[in-house]
Amino acid sequence: MTTLHIPDIAGAVSQMETSVHPDAVEVSQACNEWFGSYNLMSQPQWDEMLKMEYGLATARGFPNGDKERLRLATDWFTLLFNYDDLLDDSTSDLTHNESGASEASKIMLSVLLDTDNFQPTSRLPVAAAFHRYSWTRFQASSSPSSQKRFIDSVIGYAMAAAKQTGIRESRMCPSLEEFIALRRETGAVKTCYPFVQHMLEIDVPDKAWHHPIIESLHEVDISSFNREQAAGDHQNLVAIVSVTKDIPVQIAMEYVFLMYQWAVNQWFQLLTQIPKFDPETDEIVSKYIRGLEHLVSGLTHWTFDTERYFGPQRHEVKDTMRVTVLPLEPWAAEPVQKLKYAVF
């Protein structure tokens, strides 16, 4: 079977602080009990979802702050990943159908944009969970700027997710530049930024929030490759690089890792260039930047905590940095592009 060498993404962020929120287990259990009460999936699907450790993702990404705020972040992550999986599920009509994905996006956005008049629908029951519990509680405890920034980020994510579904439906391969621009939204990392300031109970002024240096954190997509190619889905940065540059997957993975390393190095260079605003704003920005650092580092390390990307072999993969390429799932659509795995 074909195996790939996984670049050391955790080592790339070793200079960043990392820790775990002390209430991780309690909050994760409470979130799972709440989400499970909606009965949105079969028992086998539920058992698999518990292995994803979404509570640990938020505990790593937001290690500071009270547990009620951590619970809100954990609820959002759980909803987000399950919604995203619905769009990625090739057995769902929301996957290869842009109109279906657009409808799903409109339903999710109606929770944010027309909260009082939102009507639950069996078409997308996860939206009801978002409305009844998460969004209303976030509104009650967050600042107007956090709410606006969250809404803006979810709009960007939802629109981009529907667009990516259309690209998948068309069976076309976007250019590397087009994909990176889209991935910055579909990765949904921007939806996490408002939670950073919410967790830390700070309100970053617009003049700092929108400063180009503070907005320059980049994200790349490397760990989800194996999972997505097995579903016949090549809407992944590694696969896009492999196809557009006509190179083997292993070399494409190394290429993407160089992009990742450049982004991390750029991050530290940009930290030295953050301008001074005023004493109060400077203190807030300092706390926010540290929060972003925890987010980037925490989610990177979580890659090897969860079974989402490397399955039950995640610890072995972390130790050996090698992963066996999964076979194409029997229900998966035959990919248009054939990926190369041999280096020579």
Side-chain angles (χ1 to χ4, degrees):
M1 300 183 72
T2 301
T3 61
L4 295 171
H5 174 261
I6 304 296
D8 186 12
I9 56 175
V13 297
S14 60
Q15 298 179 62
M16 295 182 176
E17 286 190 48
T18 182
S19 57
V20 179
H21 197 287
D23 297 309
V25 174
E26 179 184 347
V27 169
S28 182
Q29 289 176 344
C31 177
N32 288 338
E33 289 176 6
W34 159 72
F35 193 66
S37 70
Y38 285 89
N39 298 313
L40 300 178
M41 55 191 72
S42 66
Q43 188 61 48
Q45 290 174 319
W46 176 252
D47 292 340
E48 286 300 308
M49 197 215 74
L50 292 179
K51 298 176 184 177
M52 302 301 103
E53 298 278 8
Y54 297 136
L56 184 54
T58 53
R60 277 192 174 277
F62 309 104
N64 300 307
D66 66 53
K67 66 180 180 182
E68 291 303 318
R69 290 171 186 263
L70 178 65
R71 171 65 193 279
L72 281 170
T74 305
D75 290 350
W76 169 243
F77 268 52
T78 302
L79 289 163
L80 174 64
F81 277 111
N82 279 278
Y83 176 77
D84 200 61
D85 285 346
L86 182 64
L87 297 180
D88 285 343
D89 182 2
S90 62
T91 64
S92 166
D93 62 350
L94 295 179
T95 301
H96 299 288
N97 186 313
E98 185 174 10
S99 63
S102 296
E103 179 187 348
S105 296
K106 290 177 182 177
I107 294 172
M108 289 294 284
L109 293 179
S110 68
V111 173
L112 301 173
L113 302 177
D114 195 16
T115 305
D116 293 339
N117 297 315
F118 172 77
Q119 295 295 322
T121 171
S122 59
R123 183 81 170 87
L124 194 68
V126 71
F130 183 29
H131 173 261
R132 291 176 191 171
Y133 197 72
S134 297
W135 175 237
T136 52
R137 285 171 57 239
F138 185 76
Q139 283 181 301
S141 63
S142 61
S143 67
S145 72
S146 288
Q147 293 172 37
K148 182 182 185 304
R149 290 162 184 171
F150 180 70
I151 289 173
D152 290 345
S153 66
V154 174
I155 290 174
Y157 161 73
M159 293 177 64
K163 182 176 180 179
Q164 180 167 296
T165 302
I167 294 173
R168 187 184 292 119
E169 181 183 15
S170 71
R171 315 270 287 171
M172 299 293 290
C173 179
S175 69
L176 179 58
E177 293 74 17
E178 291 171 334
F179 181 80
I180 290 175
L182 188 64
R183 182 65 194 181
R184 285 176 183 149
E185 297 293 344
T186 61
V189 173
K190 290 182 180 180
T191 70
C192 302
Y193 298 162
F195 279 103
V196 173
Q197 69 169 24
H198 181 250
M199 283 294 300
L200 298 176
E201 299 185 57
I202 59 176
D203 197 354
V204 181
D206 282 344
K207 62 183 178 182
W209 183 273
H210 296 296
H211 193 282
I213 291 180
I214 295 178
E215 291 185 328
S216 291
L217 177 64
H218 299 289
E219 51 133 351
V220 294
D221 181 22
I222 189 168
S223 55
S224 62
F225 166 76
N226 201 26
R227 179 173 176 270
E228 291 169 347
Q229 66 83 29
D233 180 9
H234 291 170
Q235 295 300 310
N236 171 284
L237 185 53
V238 174
I240 296 296
V241 168
S242 178
V243 171
T244 58
K245 294 188 176 297
D246 193 25
I247 57 178
V249 168
Q250 181 64 70
I251 297 177
M253 194 165 285
E254 299 293 340
Y255 183 98
V256 170
F257 183 58
L258 289 176
M259 296 170 61
Y260 185 80
Q261 286 181 309
W262 179 89
V264 172
N265 292 336
Q266 186 72 0
W267 163 268
F268 285 107
Q269 290 179 18
L270 290 171
L271 289 185
T272 66
Q273 302 172 30
I274 294 176
K276 296 293 183 181
F277 298 97
D278 57 72
E280 181 180 3
T281 300
D282 292 343
E283 182 178 358
I284 292 173
V285 168
S286 178
K287 292 179 179 179
Y288 178 67
I289 292 298
R290 189 180 179 206
L292 287 183
E293 186 173 312
H294 277 124
L295 178 66
V296 173
S297 175
L299 293 184
T300 301
H301 286 286
W302 172 71
T303 297
F304 297 102
D305 294 329
T306 176
E307 292 193 15
R308 183 175 179 85
Y309 303 111
F310 301 119
Q313 294 78 34
R314 63 196 185 282
H315 297 306
E316 179 183 347
V317 171
K318 184 177 181 180
D319 291 337
T320 65
M321 301 310 293
R322 300 197 69 82
V323 62
T324 300
V325 177
L326 296 173
L328 192 69
E329 296 285 1
W331 42 260
E334 186 68 26
V336 175
Q337 296 87 14
K338 299 294 184 181
L339 300 180
K340 300 177 181 178
Y341 289 96
V343 176
F344 301 106

